[in-house]
Amino acid sequence: MSKKRHFQLILILGALTALGPFSIDMYLPGFEGIATDLNTTVAKVAMSLSSYFIGISFGQLLYGPLLDRFGRKKPLFWGLLVYILASLGCVYVTNIDYFIALRFIQAIGSCAATVASVAMVRDLFPVKEIPKVFSLLMLVVGLSPMLAPTIGGYVTADYGWHTVFIILMWMGIVILLASQLFLPVTSEGDPSVSLKPKPILNSFWTVLKEPQFHTYAFTGAIAFSGLFTYVAASPIVFMDIFKVGPKIYGWIFAFMSVSFIGASQLNSILLRRFTSEQLIFRALLCQVCISMLFLILALNQLLNLYSTVAMLFLFLGCLGITNPNTAGLTMAPFTKNTGIVSALMGAIQLGLGALASFFVGVFVHNSITPMVAIMVTSSVLAFIILNIGSRKLKQ
């Protein structure tokens, strides 16, 4: 594979992977405007974020068998079409309940891109290269939390939140055309893959029973729920508690993403000297220590805007190393039915992310402490699961 072709594949796969995060991050600065226009509260608008996470989690399980049965491109096409139409619907919505429902449908569409991109990585690249490829994808994906809230902040301030969804619709159209025209057919599909509920559930159970899968899928997903906690809580923390405007909020969010991107690229360098297993253990240990220090500061009311940003910056850096390595080790044992493997991994991650964002909507209102407490819980639990699972794998 030529370097030019390799770059093109990474760029398109990264765009597919970034569509979901972009759809999450870009409308965050508009929470107050949406609440005002739809006669509701910011906390109720935050439920549209939870519905999006639930939609992605459910949709992953839907697309996994479809990608294995019909190949990658057909389900990807129809999923992106659903995304485009739902984005258009969000432009004209006048009721918060309809808005929450449309965000769920938008997520169902976007997760076709997420599942297909991960499955194509497994199709196109050898096992040893997968963590490095995921790190490169993180670079492309990482641009979304840098660009999306910053663009969203300016667009919301100058043109209103409706324009954000017009932009997302056109992004969906461009990505649909690029994927259909420039991505290779990596799988023709397997007619023997059944779409009946019982065989599908059996396939998911077979994957879930694999020790390496459930060890690293759950470790990665629970650790990564700290990111979803931050994303869901950040409009409340920065705009409600610290009283920053939409534009400043966008810049803060962009700055925070530098940590995640930088760490994911550092991971590619560290993989030359350390194994993925070693990096996951050390990054998670750091994450536990940082989150506990964060909680102590929050409980003693020692946090201001700048120290909060600093602690979150360190926390997200740990995730930038953990995530590509857990993803690579989760996918590594499988050569067949990689659509189902990708779907199940994504569903676990996003399902737990939806749960974390739901807790944010319930508990995070006038204090930063509940957000940090959720982060500590997820970090410690992930570290425990990693250690228990690692011992079983060694045995």
Side-chain angles (χ1 to χ4, degrees), residues 150-167:
T150 309
I151 295 170
Y154 280 92
V155 168
T156 299
D158 296 337
Y159 303 103
W161 63 270
H162 298 86
T163 308
V164 168
F165 288 94
I166 294 174
I167 293 171

Side-chain angles (χ1 to χ4, degrees), residues 192-212:
S192 67
V193 174
S194 175
L195 297 180
K196 293 180 180 179
K198 188 175 180 180
I200 288 174
L201 291 173
N202 286 337
S203 296
F204 281 129
W205 179 242
T206 301
V207 171
L208 195 59
K209 286 192 300 182
E210 166 62 43
Q212 184 162 328

